[in-house]
Amino acid sequence: MAKNTINSTSILTNRFRHQVLATLTVCILTFSHGIGLGWLSPTLSKLQSDTSPLEFPVTVEDASWIGSLLGLGSVCGNLAIGFLQNIIGRKACIYILAPPHICLWILIYFARNVEFLMIGRFLGGFAGGGCYVVFPLFISEIADTNIRGTLATMLMLSVNTGILIGFIVSTHVAYHIIPFCIVTLPMVYLILAFVLPETPQHLLRRKKYAEAENSFNFYQMCNSEIKQNTSNPAFDQLKSIIENRSDSGSVTYKDFLTKDALQCFATAAVLLFVNQFSGIFAFVNYMSDIFSNSGSSMDPNTCTIIMGVVQIAGTYAATLLVDIFGRKILMLWSTGGMAVGLAAFGVFTFYAQTMDLSQYSFVPLLLMSFVSFVGNMGLIALTFVVLVEIFPAKIRPICASASMAILSLLVFAMLKIFPLYMDSFGISTTMWSCALVCAVSYLYMLVFLKETKGKSMDSD
């Protein structure tokens, strides 16, 4: 989007109204996706108990498939939407994501055997994987540079809020009531998304100039005087940039071998690796085991709810700070803070094995809350933002899609490795290993990570 002449970073400015409303619309689906993530853990415990609300048994092996198929669906969603978004457009892809997510809740409600749940989780993963590809790109193209980071981080804020709501409702609400209520969210999303125009960039690539200008005026809230002019300088500049890029030809393998592109690949690889092998996502899935091995006497369900609140606080802090301080400083604070917090957690659990530290049982929760807060403020909230912004515009859609697919595979790998690693080497060594990953990543980002605050998404 053309750079705005207003220096305000407040999303409440009237000029940004349509950009904010568009972001809130797509966040409905990410919020519902988050509920689906948080729904799983307490629900699996119910389904494997003697008081299961369903008429068929769910074995441990079934539960592992129900959990892991989300990752497989996510990879398929990453690749499919990444392939389609430049062919059929961002808006069409935004629409495509709703039906599989609706099917997730329908299959959960009408489940007659475990295959219903497996297929539903796969479809839920497909929708979620597609969200992580097209939504950041959609927002980057419609958002003003002054608020792009804030709007993009709202995606993860909605996911984390959904995770917390999902955990709470699946713990305290009857099984069949949840899908009956939540399925309305993607339906409302479909209705609201209908009024959103396609991004002006995609329309310009399709040479639909009148539609592109209308879209540009919609998202930029251009006043009536500008609309009546025969020429809109900001739109003309965007049009010239897109046409010049089109004249340079289609994407070839040489575009991926430039010095700038190769450095972006190295940075992306580090971001993807630390995003998962810092343990920040695995901690959420195995929080009960972590606290039971840490010496804490607090109730695991209570700790999980607290961690959910901390996650939201971290991502909300990112929305407030990202367009003020920039991406790099928040990523450094995140990786550096996690390295210190995880190292301290490892030290506490190491001495807890040989010393009586029961009077300090609050320390594991305090340390893990700190780790979760700084992790969500940087690694969780900003990874998708930075991955979209660092790549050259010509290869951005392809690289963003490939990055999300790789991230989904790393999610699967880390969730498989983490419990085995902790069982083999102990919780202290596990935390120290994650701290080492964060420390090395901190050093890399300190030297090589480029600040992308205010970067044009069109002219690079």
Side-chain angles (χ1 to χ4, degrees), residues 296-310:
S296 175
S297 58
M298 298 185 67
D299 176 63
N301 287 338
T302 301
C303 291
T304 303
I305 293 176
I306 293 173
M307 298 306 297
V309 174
V310 171

Side-chain angles (χ1 to χ4, degrees), residues 94-209:
I94 286 172
Y95 249 68
I96 287 174
L97 295 174
H101 190 72
I102 291 173
C103 289
L104 161 66
W105 297 111
I106 292 175
L107 289 168
I108 289 174
Y109 184 87
F110 290 105
R112 295 292 179 265
N113 53 56
V114 73
E115 283 75 19
F116 277 63
L117 299 178
M118 291 179 180
I119 295 173
R121 284 282 289 177
F122 176 87
L123 293 175
F126 182 94
C131 287
Y132 294 135
V133 171
V134 71
F135 287 175
L137 192 61
F138 172 76
I139 292 172
S140 74
E141 291 186 343
I142 68 168
D144 192 278
T145 56
N146 291 328
I147 63 166
R148 187 176 65 229
T150 299
L151 295 185
T153 53
M154 287 172 65
L155 292 174
M156 287 311 302
L157 178 62
S158 63
V159 172
N160 282 342
T161 304
I163 290 174
L164 177 60
I165 298 300
F167 178 79
I168 294 173
V169 298
S170 60
T171 301
H172 301 289
V173 179
Y175 174 90
H176 288 94
I177 294 178
I178 298 172
F180 182 79
C181 295
I182 303 304
V183 74
T184 59
L185 289 175
M187 292 179 178
V188 171
Y189 159 86
L190 270 178
I191 296 172
L192 296 178
F194 180 77
V195 303
L196 297 179
E198 177 60 84
T199 67
Q201 288 87 339
H202 180 76
L203 292 171
L204 284 171
R205 294 187 192 101
R206 293 292 177 264
K207 302 187 183 303
K208 298 179 179 179
Y209 300 119

Side-chain angles (χ1 to χ4, degrees), residues 272-321:
L272 294 172
F273 188 83
V274 70
N275 182 274
Q276 285 306 304
F277 289 93
S278 65
I280 187 64
F281 184 69
F283 297 157
V284 176
N285 291 267
Y286 300 107
M287 194 60 66
S288 296
D289 291 338
I290 290 173
F291 280 109
S292 64
N293 290 321
S294 68
S296 175
S297 58
M298 298 185 67
D299 176 63
N301 287 338
T302 301
C303 291
T304 303
I305 293 176
I306 293 173
M307 298 306 297
V309 174
V310 171
Q311 283 183 295
I312 294 173
T315 48
Y316 181 66
T319 65
L320 297 177
L321 301 175

Side-chain angles (χ1 to χ4, degrees), residues 37 45 67 78 217 320 364 437:
L37 296 178
S45 300
N78 295 149
N217 291 335
L320 297 177
V437 170

